[in-house]
Amino acid sequence: MKILVTGFDPFGGEKTNPAEEAVKRISNNINGAEIVKVIIPTVRDKSLQVIEKAIEANKPDIVISIGQAGGRFEITPEKVAINIDDFRIEDNEGNQPIDAAIREDGDIAYMTSLPVKAMVEHMKQNGIPSSLSYTAGTFVCNHVMYGVLYMIDKKYPNIKGGFIHIPFSTSQVIDKKNTPYMSLDEIVKGLELAIEACTLHSEDIKVKGGEIC
């Protein structure tokens, strides 16, 4: 099995991005799966162009993209991506689409094909705070998740794909009082556990994981 894991470069005025730093540090082999790591730009269309080149070059079985979600307490695998770009801030090349479709011929939304509930449970059972998320936002993270699932729908039906959001790392919150964070070591451990769950579960497990509102 081969798993392509992507992480974004810094954006929004941050000097670092824990997605980039964690992806660089995860193991090259997890439970027998070869891990291919790619850093992608936090740029609307270029991010997907880099991912598709990596898919073509590496022929992975699974694509997992990692992104920073400042303000979240836990590592949160995403369940769904929606077909809309509505950027509150500019991306790293000044793009700021408002209420724009990501793909005009795409579905309104795509569900992940990863075993996200199994990923959450595997992290929690091994001491890493985690929960399932039903919103990947409307910035480049959602753009990438939707774009990868669109590619899978249209071109790569044998690949599974999805997205994981991670909190700020410790060093990022020194000047952000009362902001949740997680150490980079814990983020790396959590991502490795999430990836491991993908090697253990071809289908997701049936456990409670939804939200009331």
Side-chain angles (χ1 to χ4, degrees):
M1 178 182 288
K2 186 180 290 187
I3 301 176
L4 172 64
V5 183
T6 77
F8 287 103
D9 62 5
F11 70 94
E14 295 290 333
K15 295 180 180 179
T16 62
N17 189 327
E20 177 180 19
E21 299 305 316
V23 166
K24 288 178 178 178
R25 289 178 53 176
I26 62 174
S27 299
N28 295 321
N29 188 292
I30 297 175
N31 197 33
E34 178 186 352
I35 309 302
V36 178
K37 310 170 192 178
V38 175
I39 305 306
I40 61 175
T42 307
V43 178
R44 188 188 190 209
D45 292 321
K46 284 186 178 179
S47 54
L48 290 173
Q49 292 168 4
V50 172
I51 291 174
E52 185 158 21
K53 286 182 181 178
I55 289 173
E56 290 290 339
N58 295 283
K59 303 296 190 291
D61 301 286
I62 296 173
V63 178
I64 304 175
S65 297
I66 314 300
Q68 167 193 294
R72 294 193 187 184
F73 288 87
E74 303 164 308
I75 295 178
T76 50
E78 297 292 344
K79 181 70 173 179
V80 60
I82 58 174
N83 191 7
I84 187 170
D85 280 341
D86 193 7
F87 290 9
R88 182 177 57 83
I89 61 173
E90 295 180 348
D91 69 14
N92 284 351
E93 288 192 354
N95 301 299
Q96 194 174 12
I98 305 297
D99 296 332
I102 298 171
R103 294 289 183 265
E104 293 290 349
D105 63 336
D107 291 355
I108 293 172
Y110 287 115
M111 295 287 187
T112 184
S113 45
L114 299 182
V116 285
K117 289 186 174 181
M119 294 159 72
V120 168
E121 291 302 309
H122 197 50
M123 283 187 274
K124 288 166 61 178
Q125 290 167 6
N126 287 277
I128 299 297
S130 179
S131 64
L132 189 59
S133 170
Y134 287 85
T135 174
T138 58
F139 191 50
V140 187
C141 290
N142 176 76
H143 182 92
V144 161
M145 182 179 177
Y146 183 92
V148 169
L149 295 177
Y150 172 90
M151 287 184 218
I152 290 171
D153 182 46
K154 303 296 185 183
K155 296 179 64 175
Y156 307 109
N158 296 320
I159 295 177
K160 293 184 177 181
F163 197 98
I164 304 174
H165 267 121
I166 58 176
F168 282 135
S169 61
T170 307
S171 63
Q172 290 178 284
V173 301
I174 292 172
D175 296 319
K176 300 181 181 71
K177 293 187 181 298
N178 303 314
T179 300
Y181 64 92
M182 187 177 287
S183 73
L184 191 57
D185 286 343
E186 288 180 312
I187 291 171
V188 171
K189 179 182 176 182
L191 293 178
E192 290 181 341
L193 289 164
I195 294 167
E196 184 177 54
C198 293
T199 71
L200 298 171
H201 299 269
S202 58
E203 302 291 336
D204 210 355
I205 59 176
K206 296 288 186 181
V207 295
K208 292 182 290 185
E211 300 176 352
I212 296 173
C213 59

